[in-house]
Amino acid sequence: MILTAAAVLLGWHTPLYAQDDASGPCRGVTEKRLDDWIRKANNGAAVTETLRPHGACTVDVDADGLEVLTGRLALTAAGPGSLTLRGGDSLFDVGDRGSLQLSGFMLTGATSSAVTVATGGSFTAERMRFTGNTGHFGGAVANLGGTVAVNDSDVYRNTASYSAAGLGNNGYSAVMTVSNTRITENRAPLAAGMFNTNGQVTVISGVVVGNVAELGAGAGLVNGGGSMTVLDTEIRANRLVCPPGVALCGGGLANAGILQVVNCKVTDNTSTGVANLGGGTTLITDSEITGNTTADSGGGVTNGSGGSVTVVNSTISGNIATGAGGGVADTAGGVVKLVNTTVRGNRSGVPGGGVANTGGGVVTMTNSTATGNNPDNCAGAVDGCG
């Protein structure tokens, strides 16, 4: 089939049934075909393809990955079968002015992030599965200054040699929005589930479960700088090994920038549910922080390095700390405000089972209660603790 120049400019494409190996389960989808589409997009066509594999289709991509995308490419795997892209350093590398939309694929086996997005690029994922990928930063997706949206997807069992085994967002221009997505069982030395270094991240209606960080920073969601907003999300059973001297440790969430947590459940994480450190600012509203543990201070919430934490209309219960503040601990001269919040049934190894002020900061409770904590409800200067 011969395409006219006008057809290319309009984004028309060769039907899959016209390809040489269209009778197989992949219906002609090959690495060469994917690169052909990228080249067409880079030459100015808005390329849109709907792929309909028969049965389980796996397309292997060589170690160099696909060509860099600087045009507009949209690919949808619509069934009735499934379509997996496997291998490559980065399977997809989205460059400046590149726009990639993927729907319905599994991406696996990449050795330098399944998708990498440069400054000026954009990537949208719908109904995707990212698993078995690795990288230095961002095993599944590494956003290095572009705009990324991940919707209705699964990011699971990816690894990183440094950080962000699941999703990484790096750079002042980097924007990432994640909605209705599961981030589970990813593993890295630092910040296993998601790491925002200094960009902007929003997580909506997510599930962040079972991520593991071996050397510190955070296991679930980590905001190292910039801003992160987490809405209607479950953050559960993430596990962090926090070595002595590491400044940013939060099993569920860790923050050194600006963090907002709204209507979330932060449960059963190790070490600490929410950690605000490095001078960060955290606002927690309408949330439950329960069953988290730490070998240090602040089982539910810890605040250090002169940071600021405000907790409103929330419950902090059943958390355990070996040090002070089974529920809440302020450890380094910061500010903690508890407003319309219940602190109950928490336990610590030293005084301050509910709320502890051990760093000479300002800790206040307004219309809040601390009850049934062990060995006591409050320790240090905690204004409003009856």
Side-chain angles (χ1 to χ4, degrees), residues 23-48:
S23 60
C26 295
R27 299 199 67 192
V29 183
T30 63
E31 179 181 5
K32 180 181 182 301
R33 176 61 62 181
L34 293 168
D35 274 331
D36 285 345
W37 288 329
I38 290 172
R39 283 191 289 270
K40 288 180 181 179
N42 292 347
N43 287 330
V47 178
T48 299

Side-chain angles (χ1 to χ4, degrees), residues 256-297:
I258 299 173
L259 172 66
Q260 295 187 63
V261 180
V262 182
N263 196 33
C264 291
K265 293 183 178 180
V266 183
T267 62
D268 301 326
N269 299 284
T270 306
S271 152
T272 302
V274 182
N276 185 68
L277 299 165
T281 299
T282 294
L283 172 62
I284 303 167
T285 60
D286 300 313
S287 295
E288 298 176 15
I289 302 172
T290 62
N292 304 284
T293 62
T294 182
D296 206 325
S297 295

Side-chain angles (χ1 to χ4, degrees), residues 58-353:
T58 298
V59 177
D60 286 311
V61 175
D62 68 25
D64 293 331
L66 299 168
E67 296 188 15
V68 176
L69 175 68
T70 57
R72 293 176 293 167
L73 176 63
L75 301 177
T76 299
S82 62
L83 208 161
T84 298
L85 303 183
R86 179 175 63 191
D89 49 4
S90 284
L91 280 163
F92 289 94
D93 192 346
V94 183
D96 183 22
R97 292 174 291 178
S99 174
L100 175 64
Q101 299 178 42
L102 296 178
S103 178
F105 291 82
M106 174 186 282
L107 303 186
T108 189
T111 59
S112 184
S113 308
V115 179
T116 301
V117 183
T119 300
S122 67
F123 170 51
T124 300
E126 303 275 354
R127 300 184 297 104
M128 294 287 293
R129 289 182 293 164
F130 301 85
T131 187
N133 303 287
T134 191
H136 179 68
F137 172 85
V141 178
N143 182 21
L144 306 179
T147 301
V148 170
V150 180
N151 306 316
D152 302 310
S153 296
D154 283 284
V155 181
Y156 63 103
R157 296 181 183 174
N158 302 281
T159 61
S161 60
Y162 173 60
S163 65
L167 304 173
N169 194 62
N170 179 63
Y172 293 106
S173 63
V175 177
M176 180 177 288
T177 303
V178 181
S179 66
N180 297 308
T181 290
R182 294 175 57 85
I183 303 171
T184 61
E185 299 183 40
N186 301 285
R187 192 177 191 106
L190 308 172
M194 173 188 285
F195 190 16
N196 177 44
T197 62
N198 49 12
Q200 178 180 325
V201 166
T202 303
V203 180
I204 305 169
S205 299
V207 175
V208 182
V209 173
N211 301 284
V212 177
E214 297 129 346
L215 294 179
L221 305 177
V222 179
N223 184 40
S227 66
M228 177 180 287
T229 301
V230 187
L231 309 170
D232 303 315
T233 292
E234 178 187 6
I235 302 152
R236 174 172 53 83
N238 301 284
R239 183 167 61 87
L240 168 66
V241 178
C242 192
V246 174
L248 183 62
C249 282
L253 299 105
N255 175 54
I258 299 173
L259 172 66
Q260 295 187 63
V261 180
V262 182
N263 196 33
C264 291
K265 293 183 178 180
V266 183
T267 62
D268 301 326
N269 299 284
T270 306
S271 152
T272 302
V274 182
N276 185 68
L277 299 165
T281 299
T282 294
L283 172 62
I284 303 167
T285 60
D286 300 313
S287 295
E288 298 176 15
I289 302 172
T290 62
N292 304 284
T293 62
T294 182
D296 206 325
S297 295
V301 178
T302 187
N303 180 46
S305 303
S308 173
V309 173
T310 302
V311 184
V312 181
N313 296 333
S314 297
T315 299
I316 301 171
S317 64
N319 303 285
I320 300 172
T322 301
V328 180
D330 182 76
T331 63
V335 175
V336 174
K337 299 178 182 179
L338 305 178
V339 181
N340 297 328
T341 289
T342 298
V343 182
R344 67 167 180 261
N346 303 282
R347 177 162 52 92
S348 63
V350 299

